[in-house]
Amino acid sequence: MPVVAPIGRFVLAFAVTAGRIAIFASQALLRSVTPPYYPRLVLRQMVEIGFYSLPVVGLTAIFTGMVLALQSFTGFSRFSAESAIPNIVVVSITRELGPVLAGLMVAGRIGAAIAAEIGTMRVTEQIDALTTLKTDPLRYLVAPRLIAATLLLPILVLIADIIGVLGGYLVSVYKLGFAGDVYLINTMDFVEPLDVVSGLVKAAVFGFLVALMGCYHGYRSRGGAQGVGQATTNAVVSASILILVFNFIVTELFFTQ
């Protein structure tokens, strides 16, 4: 059966990897919620993940809002429904585009950085040295990154939501001729708390996944510089795929009747 054997090997390899990630995640979660804690490390990771990611997330959000307004105007003008542009922009940004694009941007920047840093520590035996000094690597290296990413990504997404709506406002008012006060009133009247809350919940899930994939692949990297490079690539790819998968799952949980 030349066709069945490769499929079987792929399924087994996928099951083994999923099991290892689940065990790693459970161990890291346990270390995250039990003492001793490392608040300085958590704060340092919050600055790294939140503050330094703000420029790329902000640029992504504002241009997404601007393009969304332009594309909506092009499509809605065929049906004389241009007045729906503020509603479409705010709902699209808060529910989907804000959290997903911010998650992907952070996965590319932070997930890769975490995998490279921890992978380098692994191949240079610094993690083994921590174990020798009776310091738990999961508690010292992984837990602070998980906590910081899970807490900071919702804040980043909230800022991205505001910037994205601002991008739609700028294009609609200064290019498409909308009245500024009418645009803002329509935006505020149409958006609901559930739209924003669902996006922030997605952001927390995405932050956890990005940090988890970066830590997991970095922690298990082998083979020197080539292994660290492979771990970095795997961290970004796996985090991006999981973001899209869990985006569907969380959307299903929030908006399916």
Side-chain angles (χ1 to χ4, degrees):
M1 301 294 284
V3 179
V4 176
I7 296 175
R9 283 195 293 270
F10 172 79
V11 172
L12 287 175
F14 179 80
V16 169
T17 302
R20 286 174 177 166
I21 293 174
I23 294 172
F24 185 85
S26 62
Q27 293 175 339
L29 274 175
L30 181 63
R31 265 75 164 190
S32 301
V33 298
T34 56
Y37 304 108
Y38 295 96
R40 286 189 177 182
L41 293 179
V42 174
L43 288 176
R44 185 188 305 169
Q45 292 301 323
M46 283 182 169
V47 173
E48 182 67 29
I49 294 171
F51 183 74
Y52 292 121
S53 297
L54 190 56
V56 65
V57 171
L59 281 174
T60 304
I62 193 166
F63 283 109
T64 300
M66 294 168 74
V67 170
L68 189 59
L70 278 176
Q71 292 284 24
S72 299
F73 181 80
T74 303
F76 288 172
S77 60
R78 301 173 186 173
F79 311 100
S80 301
E82 296 92 337
S83 60
I85 290 177
N87 310 340
I88 294 300
V89 169
V90 70
V91 171
S92 301
I93 291 289
T94 54
R95 284 191 181 186
E96 295 297 329
L97 296 177
V100 171
L101 292 178
L104 293 176
M105 290 298 107
V106 172
R109 182 180 176 276
I110 296 300
I114 291 175
E117 184 179 2
I118 295 181
T120 302
M121 295 182 71
R122 168 60 75 187
V123 299
T124 56
E125 300 181 349
Q126 294 181 59
I127 293 180
D128 297 330
L130 285 175
T131 305
T132 303
L133 295 172
K134 299 187 182 304
T135 300
D136 186 348
L138 289 177
R139 194 182 299 279
Y140 186 78
L141 296 175
V142 177
R145 288 167 172 80
L146 285 180
I147 295 171
T150 305
L151 295 179
L152 258 294
L153 210 62
I155 299 175
L156 273 178
V157 166
L158 188 60
I159 297 172
D161 289 345
I162 297 171
I163 295 175
V165 172
L166 174 64
Y169 172 86
L170 293 176
V171 167
S172 299
V173 173
Y174 295 106
K175 181 175 177 59
L176 304 179
F178 280 67
D181 54 345
V182 174
Y183 188 96
L184 290 177
I185 290 172
N186 286 343
T187 298
M188 297 304 295
D189 285 345
F190 193 77
V191 68
E192 296 182 358
L194 182 62
D195 300 328
V196 180
V197 170
S198 65
L200 299 184
V201 171
K202 287 182 180 180
V205 174
F206 297 163
F208 176 80
L209 292 173
V210 168
L212 178 66
M213 290 297 100
C215 293
Y216 172 78
H217 289 287
Y219 200 81
R220 293 187 56 82
S221 63
R222 298 287 188 277
Q226 185 177 4
V228 174
Q230 186 64 46
T232 303
T233 302
N234 291 339
V236 175
V237 172
S238 59
S240 300
I241 293 173
L242 286 176
I243 283 173
L244 299 178
V245 172
F246 276 83
N247 180 50
F248 171 78
I249 294 173
V250 177
T251 301
E252 181 82 8
L253 291 175
F254 268 96
F255 296 105
T256 299
Q257 297 294 329

